[in-house]
């Protein structure tokens, strides 16, 4: 199982602010993912990366952006937060040897 | 278009009895299936998986059954324990490895 960390765990922020959600893993895995999940709904893939300098948009359109400058870090940025961005954001990683993805604890974002 | 469906949003079961969670999928290219458990304000935790070449996989109290012709899988938890109260997500993937999730089933285990 991967050690994967997300900060902050909770964030309440006003409309228009720029935010960065951090995700890091210590296993050296190439594949990393960002999901968005609202209560009672499925997890939606919003971004993924298969290695350094590789990022792709997921199935759900998102105004967020990501970067992958180092293997262990996969931060997500919202340039101007809006109430519609209120959600739980989950980061995951996989070794690629199997299909199992391992998730961080998530960031609960509330935009007021 | 939701390709993985969990049609029961909630399930209540008595402690010690069997919990059966169901999942249906539409994409015939899916060949690997997973179940995750999620507590509030935490990330999902991987529980058990099954490849399309099998019809059953067992791990302790958890068993997953796959019926490919019906595009249906189920998770059996026996016996159910209070700590099993959580949301359970079904997920599926093809060879590309991107997971498609269902909307989850909230399980409540009562004393």
């Amino acid at each position: 199982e991967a050690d994967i960390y997300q900060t902050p765990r909770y964030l309440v922020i006003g409309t228009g602010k720029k935010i960065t959600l951090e995700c890091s893993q210590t296993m050296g895995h190439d594949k990393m993912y960002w999901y968005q999940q609202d209560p009672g709904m499925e997890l939606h893939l919003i971004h993924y990366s298969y290695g350094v300098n590789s990022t792709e948009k997921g199935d759900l359109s998102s105004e967020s952006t990501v970067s992958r400058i180092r293997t262990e870090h996969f931060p997500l940025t919202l340039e101007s937060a809006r109430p519609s961005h209120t959600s739980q954001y989950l980061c995951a990683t996989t070794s690629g040897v199997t299909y199992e993805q391992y998730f961080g604890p998530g960031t609960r974002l509330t935009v007021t | 278009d939701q390709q993985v469906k969990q049609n029961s949003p909630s399930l209540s079961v008595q402690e010690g009895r069997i919990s059966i969670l169901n999942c249906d999928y539409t994409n015939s290219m899916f060949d690997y299936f997973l179940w995750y458990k999620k507590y509030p304000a935490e990330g999902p935790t991987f529980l058990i998986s099954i490849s399309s070449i099998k019809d059953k996989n067992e791990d302790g109290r958890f068993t997953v059954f796959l019926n490919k012709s019906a595009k249906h899988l189920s998770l059996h938890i026996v016996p159910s324990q209070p700590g099993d109260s959580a949301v359970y997500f079904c997920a599926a993937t093809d060879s590309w490895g991107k997971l498609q999730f269902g909307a989850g089933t909230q399980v409540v285990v009562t004393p």
Side-chain angles (χ1 to χ4, degrees):
Chain A
E1 191 165 328
D3 290 325
I4 181 165
Y5 308 97
Q6 290 187 245
T7 56
R9 293 290 313 276
Y10 302 91
L11 179 62
V12 181
I13 201 163
T15 298
K17 299 292 186 183
K18 177 180 179 178
I19 60 169
T20 296
L21 307 184
E22 299 288 347
C23 175
S24 61
Q25 49 101 357
T26 60
M27 299 300 289
H29 290 170
D30 286 328
K31 295 185 177 181
M32 296 187 74
Y33 307 84
W34 275 104
Y35 292 87
Q36 184 175 342
Q37 198 237 341
D38 295 315
M41 304 292 288
E42 61 266 44
L43 282 71
H44 289 289
L45 181 67
I46 51 174
H47 298 283
Y48 62 99
S49 169
Y50 287 166
V52 171
N53 294 324
S54 156
T55 61
E56 300 287 345
K57 290 191 178 294
D59 303 324
L60 180 69
S61 176
S62 174
E63 294 170 345
S64 59
T65 59
V66 292
S67 62
R68 190 86 184 276
I69 299 171
R70 287 158 48 189
T71 298
E72 60 269 28
H73 288 156
F74 191 36
L76 180 146
T77 299
L78 275 165
E79 290 292 333
S80 179
R82 294 209 297 263
S84 61
H85 296 141
T86 294
S87 189
Q88 185 178 35
Y89 292 84
L90 295 157
C91 183
T93 183
T94 180
S95 65
V97 174
T98 64
Y99 291 119
E100 288 82 6
Q101 293 182 16
Y102 296 95
F103 286 81
T107 295
R108 169 68 64 184
L109 173 66
T110 302
V111 183
T112 60
Chain B
D1 180 30
Q2 198 173 356
Q3 300 181 62
V4 178
K5 297 180 182 179
Q6 294 176 255
N7 292 320
S8 298
S10 63
L11 171 69
S12 183
V13 63
Q14 266 192 320
E15 182 178 0
R17 306 294 292 266
I18 184 170
S19 296
I20 300 176
L21 291 79
N22 293 303
C23 179
D24 297 293
Y25 62 96
T26 57
N27 189 339
S28 58
M29 299 301 292
F30 288 151
D31 59 7
Y32 199 82
F33 305 88
L34 308 91
W35 285 95
Y36 284 83
K37 174 181 178 179
K38 186 179 185 298
Y39 294 117
E42 292 185 15
T45 302
F46 169 72
L47 268 179
I48 192 169
S49 60
I50 188 167
S51 165
S52 61
I53 62 173
K54 295 185 175 181
D55 55 18
K56 177 183 175 181
N57 189 26
E58 192 171 355
D59 184 0
R61 296 186 298 114
F62 302 93
T63 303
V64 56
F65 296 91
L66 175 63
N67 182 333
K68 281 186 62 179
S69 61
K71 294 190 176 66
H72 177 84
L73 64 155
S74 62
L75 175 69
H76 292 208
I77 307 172
V78 55
S80 299
Q81 298 174 354
D84 295 333
S85 295
V87 177
Y88 290 78
F89 289 96
C90 171
T93 184
D94 57 19
S95 58
W96 290 101
K98 288 196 292 181
L99 297 184
Q100 298 283 343
F101 284 85
T105 296
Q106 172 76 59
V107 173
V108 176
V109 180
T110 58

